């Protein structure tokens, strides 16, 4: 259980709707679909209606600051079946990076690798009280595209399982390049937070609005005025 799972959910029943992709940058086909992730009749480019509205507000804020820049949507809604698929895929990737095969894995090595996987990936829980954030339709993974159509360099790719994924990883570096990475990450965070989103403390790309993580982060910042989650798992 993550700390944010202690936040109660009172589901508001808001629908999951298609993101108007023409307003954003997007990779096609979707990265997880290319791997064979089982979306069924759903799409990764769906979110709750209010989350879409606020994402559009973030895009508008970005364009006020930097005309012709766009938010690129990497991933949004993720059924639990897709969460499970990607968790297993990430485990396989981590295994390969460690130069191991499943046949060679000791229980101790397996536990270490799973701990690394779950630093980035939420557990594919079917418990209504502990939904993966993306399975609520209230979490989105995003980056930026500049006015030339190039993806802005954030210093590490989305989903990288390393400390470089932490939002402030480059904050105290003295090199000009590292400071550019931090500035880019902060720009993304600023436009998203101005639109009401909260950023995952461990991932520079993950933002949410209305789910348990969002509520938990708001409560950490303002414990005297607690909020609850309004989005649970979309079935």
């Amino acid at each position: 259980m993550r700390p944010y799972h202690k936040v109660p959910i009172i589901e508001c029943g808001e629908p999951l709707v298609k993101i108007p992709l023409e307003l954003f940058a997007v990779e096609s086909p979707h990265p997880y679909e290319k791997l064979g992730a089982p979306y069924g009749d759903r799409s990764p480019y769906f979110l709750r209606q209010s989350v879409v509205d606020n994402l559009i507000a973030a895009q508008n804020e970005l364009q006020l600051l930097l005309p012709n820049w766009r938010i690129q949507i990497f991933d949004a809604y993720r059924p639990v079946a897709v969460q499970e698929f990607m968790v297993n895929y990430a485990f396989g990737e981590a295994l390969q990076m460690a130069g191991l095969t499943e046949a060679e894995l000791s229980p101790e090595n397996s536990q270490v690798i799973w701990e690394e996987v779950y630093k980035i990936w939420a557990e594919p829980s079917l418990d209504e009280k502990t939904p993966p954030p993306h399975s609520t339709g209230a979490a989105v993974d995003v980056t930026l595209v500049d006015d030339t159509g190039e993806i802005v360099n954030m210093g590490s790719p989305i989903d990288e399982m390393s400390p470089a994924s932490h939002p402030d990883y480059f904050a105290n570096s003295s090199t000009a390049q590292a400071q550019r990475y931090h500035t880019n990450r902060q720009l993304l965070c600023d436009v998203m937070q101005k639109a009401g989103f909260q950023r995952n403390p461990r991932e520079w790309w993950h933002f949410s609005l209305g789910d348990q993580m969002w509520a938990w982060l708001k409560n950490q910042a303002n414990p005297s005025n607690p909020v609850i989650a309004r989005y649970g798992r979309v079935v």
Side-chain angles (χ1 to χ4, degrees):
M1 179 179 282
R2 307 292 175 100
Y4 57 81
H5 284 147
K6 296 176 182 177
V7 175
I9 303 167
I10 298 182
E11 172 60 53
C12 67
E14 194 175 280
L16 195 68
V17 300
K18 185 172 175 55
I19 301 166
L21 297 181
E22 66 275 8
L23 301 180
F24 302 93
V26 67
E27 185 177 335
S28 184
H30 185 271
Y32 301 161
E33 287 183 315
K34 285 193 288 187
L35 296 174
Y39 282 91
D41 61 352
R42 296 293 178 94
S43 158
Y45 297 122
F46 276 68
L47 287 168
R48 300 293 188 120
Q49 179 66 67
S50 293
V51 183
V52 170
D53 295 341
N54 286 59
L55 191 58
I56 293 170
Q59 168 75 0
N60 292 339
E61 176 65 22
L62 174 65
Q63 296 209 329
L64 285 175
L65 298 171
L66 294 165
N68 300 318
W69 281 49
R70 288 181 294 165
I71 291 171
Q72 175 160 309
I73 300 167
F74 179 85
D75 192 40
Y77 173 63
R78 196 183 297 160
V80 175
V82 172
Q83 187 74 21
E84 183 174 21
F85 177 93
M86 289 309 303
V87 162
N88 290 332
Y89 178 83
F91 181 84
E93 290 282 285
L95 202 63
Q96 192 172 33
M97 286 177 63
L100 298 169
T101 66
E102 289 207 44
E104 298 169 328
L105 264 187
S106 67
E108 293 78 13
N109 283 341
S110 180
Q111 182 177 346
V112 167
I113 292 174
W114 277 119
E115 286 174 359
E116 288 302 307
V117 168
Y118 284 130
K119 285 179 182 177
I120 289 289
W121 295 90
E123 294 188 27
S125 171
L126 287 170
D127 186 334
E128 291 184 359
K129 295 179 180 178
T130 60
H134 282 275
S135 300
T136 68
V140 61
D141 295 337
V142 289
T143 188
L144 297 173
V145 170
D146 68 18
D147 54 2
T148 71
E150 293 295 315
I151 296 174
V152 174
N153 195 334
M154 298 289 184
S156 71
I158 290 174
D159 290 344
E160 179 171 295
M161 289 187 291
S162 84
S165 294
H166 298 173
D168 291 331
Y169 180 77
F170 295 105
N172 298 315
S173 176
S174 59
T175 71
Q177 186 178 52
Q179 281 302 308
R180 281 195 297 272
Y181 296 152
H182 181 68
T183 298
N184 293 339
R185 292 181 179 195
Q186 200 55 48
L187 170 62
L188 177 63
C189 184
D190 287 347
V191 298
M192 293 294 285
Q193 288 189 335
K194 190 162 185 179
F197 289 87
Q198 293 287 329
R199 181 173 63 181
N200 185 328
R202 301 188 65 87
E203 300 173 5
W204 62 258
W205 60 84
H206 178 116
F207 294 84
S208 60
L209 195 156
D211 67 358
Q212 287 174 303
M213 183 184 289
W214 169 87
W216 179 73
L217 289 167
K218 285 184 74 70
N219 292 343
Q220 294 290 303
N222 189 10
S224 64
N225 188 26
V227 297
I228 61 171
R230 58 179 181 263
Y231 301 126
R233 176 168 57 89
V234 177
V235 180

